[in-house]
Amino acid sequence: MSAEDALVVFTPSGKRGRFPLGTPLLQAARSLGVDVDSVCGGRALCGRCQVLVMEGDFAKHGVSSSATHLSSVGASEQSFSRRRPLPAGHRLSCQAKIEGNLVIDVPPGSQVHRQVVRKAAEARAITLDPVVRLHYVEVREPDMHDPSGDLERLAKALEREWQLSSLTCEVSVLRTLQATLRQGSWKVTAAVHGGNRIVAVWPGLHEQLYGLAVDVGSTTIAGHLCDLESGEVVASGGLMNPQIRFGEDLMSRVSYSMMHPGGAQQMTEAVRGALNTLAAEVAREAKVPVTDLLEVTIVGNPIMHHLVLGIDPVELGGAPFALATDEALRFKASEIALNLNPGARVYTLPCIAGHVGADAAGVILAERPDLSDKLTLLVDVGTNAEIVLGNRSRLLACSSPTGPAFEGAQISCGQRAAPGAIERVRIDPATLEARFKVIGSDLWSDEPGFEQAVARTGVTGICGSGIIEVIAEMFLAGIISQDGVVDGELAARSARIVSTGRTFAYTLYQGTAAAPLMITQNDVRAIQLAKAALYAGIRLLMDHLGVEQLDRIRLAGAFGSHIDVKYAMVLGMIPDCDLREVSSAGNAAGTGARIALLDQSSRRTIEELVRRVEKIETAIEPKFQAHFVAAMGLPHSTAPSPHLSQAVKLPEPKAPPARASTRTGRRRPST
């Protein structure tokens, strides 16, 4: 080091060093381990290495910094600026040379491991460190004095320019490598997976690289297409799982496999076809070729996980509910017939137990209860609820067979969430009159303009969130008792209470005389059964931890993200808790898949975390049935609700209401 060396400080890392005058900034940054991105290898093509020169005296660093302490803008930088104008004060660090002391700021967009913030109320940063990266190189042409193969010379270029060694190569790349090199005039961009495997090569500079994070649910399949260079979600999509035609719930699909030779293969082909449709749709929405998709992460419950992989789930249909594997898997996308880039690869998050799958692992990765002292309950509400309870000391998990009632199935007027479906309900306890909102309109049904607003779709049914609210509101209004029985005596007060034979129903929306939307006694029972199963599973985990109170509750899943947490507690889907600590986690399983897609280190994290989780099997727990029976009451037959009572006025218990007569439809006289 000579007296002519300049002191350069990089922020926000704070790393500093002295460098000979004339040293390129990018070279200085990399020698210090400063996080500066680049795809083109310092050729002023990609613009990812932009930095900002800080002007002024910085006593903290002992540096007087000025833009004049860098070399002037050269021809390469000028050429880039004509194509993509640089923001004021920004320079390409691969072209700017050190000519004096400097304080250099590396903006977030120029950092390799930059933080991607989730756009949600519970936003937190995700480190961007994808497992596959792009590298632009110039490959030496073959000649008679160097007869080595094109792949060998590509590998040498990657080692020389990017310090990547011991590389292997996909056969699919090798098939087209020679044509690609010549098409690009020996300048190509290689996608390298895990720092050691060439999975794709494009002629010239290629800057587009995408991955797909997928949550394969038993009802819906949701996917996020992510730019692996920026971390941005560029398109999202979802579609119904076509396996529904083989059975609405998981066990009916296992039964289909048992009863129909080749049934598992049929379901596998159906879900793989849906994955290809989803990938094509999100790529089309983002206006990118599907061949730019190079990485896929998948979460799903164990049965969905097995069927995507082509594994017959029959062993999951009965005790001991054995998984084929509970480990994370890495394999080629072509092995599960995904039509992406030929070199694309798949990562599936690990499963936890026979009915607690990779989707639950995704929720854990998204929510990280292991980082908090608060006792946190995570519930992924679906046809099979997956439940995680714990904190940094201990994590437990189980599943509970809630069935499809929460999503509208098994409900007389239930339907999937779609325009025209009732999603919000309020009932006046004095008049028993109802008002509601439907998907696709911001107006309540008693507001002017509602009929015009829903003229196109009509009022077609009631979806999951609406079902939860209407039954909770019926309880709060006294229409149903703590035992869930519709009070027929109220028919004298309101025409909305109607006889349906031996029981009564509540008319939510008259609609046409031939097809009113009614909540029947059977509908109430279906929800009671589902919520009791969910609560019983939660209570078992609380028993194993020896706790009576929870600090925090997060409801995940497509259904969990749309329900009002207050009404979930009124029904008794979840234990009593401070409502300020109960919230929606959105599609946390999908978020976990996205984290695993964008940050390769998170894969090791979740694999280690899953090994810590204690699995509780509800099917063999002797207390499950007792907890289930007690949980049939609203909110619960025996458990107190001190927090909920502060938020809503719970009705006083009353005598069992009268039933309707089977002969005349009239109410029986009270005794």
Side-chain angles (χ1 to χ4, degrees):
M1 186 176 298
S2 73
E4 295 298 317
D5 290 347
L7 175 62
V8 182
V9 180
F10 290 92
T11 64
S13 67
K15 294 180 178 179
R16 58 170 59 207
R18 290 193 172 273
F19 300 94
L21 302 184
T23 303
L25 262 180
L26 182 59
Q27 180 181 324
R30 286 184 168 169
S31 70
L32 293 174
V34 175
D35 210 15
V36 182
D37 199 2
S38 176
V39 170
C40 68
R43 295 178 175 85
L45 297 175
C46 69
R48 296 180 187 273
C49 67
Q50 294 179 36
V51 295
L52 177 63
V53 183
M54 307 299 288
E55 296 271 1
D57 296 322
F58 296 85
K60 175 183 175 182
H61 302 300
V63 172
S64 179
S65 176
S66 170
T68 61
H69 295 177
L70 280 176
S71 60
S72 58
V73 176
S76 296
E77 215 167 346
Q78 289 175 357
S79 175
F80 178 86
S81 295
R82 284 193 290 271
R83 288 184 287 115
R84 298 185 207 169
L86 291 171
H90 282 229
R91 295 290 303 274
L92 297 182
S93 62
C94 64
Q95 300 300 309
K97 295 181 174 61
I98 299 167
E99 293 188 351
N101 295 341
L102 290 160
V103 175
I104 299 294
D105 181 62
V106 183
S110 298
Q111 297 169 17
V112 176
H113 301 94
R114 54 187 162 286
Q115 302 290 296
V116 181
V117 178
R118 287 160 52 186
K119 296 179 181 178
E122 69 280 3
R124 68 173 178 78
I126 303 170
T127 299
L128 181 61
D129 185 19
V131 70
V132 57
R133 290 190 177 278
L134 296 176
H135 303 282
Y136 176 85
V137 290
E138 295 182 2
V139 180
R140 289 171 182 162
E141 296 185 42
D143 58 40
M144 296 301 292
H145 303 288
D146 180 15
S148 58
D150 286 349
L151 176 59
E152 182 181 348
R153 279 177 288 101
L154 171 61
K156 284 181 178 178
L158 287 165
E159 182 171 13
R160 180 175 64 251
E161 298 184 23
W162 294 97
Q163 294 74 55
L164 297 171
S165 58
S166 303
L167 292 170
T168 58
C169 181
E170 293 287 348
V171 173
S172 59
V173 172
L174 195 55
R175 291 191 185 108
T176 60
L177 178 61
Q178 292 189 301
T180 301
L181 284 167
R182 286 152 182 82
Q183 183 183 347
S185 300
W186 306 97
K187 300 177 182 67
V188 296
T189 304
V192 179
H193 189 282
N196 57 24
R197 189 165 187 81
I198 303 169
V199 293
V201 178
W202 293 270
L205 177 66
H206 187 88
E207 298 184 81
Q208 291 184 312
L209 182 63
Y210 298 93
L212 185 63
V214 185
D215 177 11
V216 183
S218 53
T219 303
T220 58
I221 301 173
H224 300 292
L225 182 66
C226 298
D227 184 332
L228 297 184
E229 294 294 301
S230 69
E232 178 188 3
V233 176
V234 295
S236 295
L239 41 76
M240 299 298 293
N241 189 329
Q243 293 176 343
I244 286 176
R245 67 178 183 266
F246 302 105
E248 281 204 327
D249 58 53
L250 295 172
M251 295 316 296
S252 63
R253 294 181 205 175
V254 173
S255 296
Y256 186 87
S257 177
M258 291 176 175
M259 303 298 293
H260 298 81
Q265 183 179 349
Q266 285 180 277
M267 290 186 283
T268 291
E269 290 173 355
V271 72
R272 288 178 177 178
L275 289 175
N276 277 315
T277 299
L278 179 63
E281 286 181 356
V282 292
R284 184 165 54 251
E285 180 185 337
K287 297 181 173 58
V288 302
V290 75
T291 50
D292 278 351
L293 272 68
L294 272 168
E295 187 73 6
V296 180
T297 52
I298 296 177
V299 298
N301 62 61
I303 291 171
M304 293 302 97
H305 169 277
H306 278 35
L307 287 170
V308 168
L309 296 175
I311 301 168
D312 193 327
V314 65
E315 292 297 331
L316 295 171
F321 311 107
L323 290 158
T325 180
D326 58 2
E327 296 181 355
L329 299 174
R330 299 164 173 83
F331 51 88
K332 294 180 182 179
S334 59
E335 292 184 55
I336 57 170
L338 296 187
N339 301 320
L340 311 174
N341 186 289
R345 302 186 71 82
V346 175
Y347 174 81
T348 64
L349 275 69
C351 289
I352 297 174
H355 287 297
V356 187
D359 49 355
V363 173
I364 293 173
L365 184 58
E367 295 297 314
R368 295 304 303 271
D370 60 297
L371 299 179
S372 173
D373 290 321
K374 287 187 175 182
L375 188 59
T376 300
L377 172 69
L378 306 175
V379 184
D380 194 343
V381 188
T383 55
N384 187 64
E386 293 176 315
I387 308 163
V388 177
L389 178 63
N391 54 20
R392 68 172 77 250
S393 300
R394 196 175 170 195
L395 289 173
L396 284 76
C398 73
S399 68
S400 200
T402 53
F406 286 146
E407 296 176 339
Q410 299 178 343
I411 304 299
S412 60
C413 57
Q415 68 163 86
R416 308 292 182 194
I422 295 173
E423 61 173 343
R424 294 281 178 261
V425 179
R426 299 291 183 270
I427 297 176
D428 186 319
T431 65
L432 305 187
E433 287 300 299
R435 60 192 186 97
F436 54 83
K437 294 177 80 171
V438 302
I439 296 175
S441 172
D442 293 328
L443 298 176
W444 285 89
S445 59
D446 60 347
E447 291 183 308
F450 174 79
E451 294 296 337
Q452 293 84 350
V454 300
R456 186 176 59 85
T457 61
V459 180
T460 54
I462 182 166
C463 66
S465 61
I467 292 164
I468 298 304
E469 292 197 8
V470 71
I471 294 179
E473 283 277 318
M474 288 169 67
F475 171 63
L476 294 175
I479 297 170
I480 56 177
S481 67
Q482 184 185 28
D483 293 330
V485 178
V486 180
D487 186 352
E489 292 186 356
L490 293 177
R493 280 179 52 193
S494 172
R496 287 183 179 268
I497 311 297
V498 297
S499 171
T500 55
R502 294 182 61 85
T503 60
F504 289 86
Y506 177 78
T507 305
L508 177 58
Y509 175 64
Q510 186 59 49
T512 62
L517 300 183
M518 297 193 302
I519 305 301
T520 68
Q521 185 64 70
N522 285 340
D523 296 337
V524 178
R525 282 285 180 261
I527 292 298
Q528 283 182 279
L529 291 168
K531 74 98 176 179
L534 175 58
Y535 188 101
I538 296 169
R539 185 66 240 190
L540 277 180
L541 297 189
M542 294 173 69
D543 289 348
H544 278 268
L545 280 179
V547 299
E548 294 295 326
Q549 186 64 47
L550 304 176
D551 297 323
R552 185 168 172 263
I553 299 176
R554 299 278 283 163
L555 299 178
F559 172 69
S561 64
H562 287 98
I563 61 176
D564 186 314
V565 295
K566 178 181 72 176
Y567 289 112
M569 197 173 291
V570 169
L571 277 191
M573 292 173 61
I574 52 179
D576 187 72
C577 182
D578 185 344
L579 276 166
R580 293 171 297 183
E581 295 294 335
V582 185
S583 57
S584 167
N587 182 11
T591 298
R594 187 161 67 90
I595 293 170
L597 179 70
L598 297 178
D599 180 13
Q600 59 180 318
S601 67
S602 69
R603 302 180 180 188
R604 183 171 59 254
T605 297
I606 191 56
E607 290 166 23
E608 292 171 354
L609 268 177
V610 162
R611 285 194 286 271
R612 282 180 46 194
V613 177
E614 301 171 45
K615 298 86 174 175
I616 307 300
E617 182 49 66
T618 56
I620 60 173
E621 285 285 335
K623 288 186 177 180
F624 182 84
Q625 188 62 28
H627 285 317
F628 176 84
V629 172
M632 284 290 287
L634 302 173
H636 192 275
S637 297
T638 57
S641 304
H643 291 100
L644 180 62
S645 297
Q646 294 176 9
V648 299
K649 181 175 174 52
L650 295 174
E652 294 293 330
K654 56 183 178 180
R659 293 180 178 274
S661 166
T662 55
R663 290 182 294 106
T664 66
R666 295 178 183 173
R667 291 181 288 112
R668 292 180 178 177
S670 58
T671 57

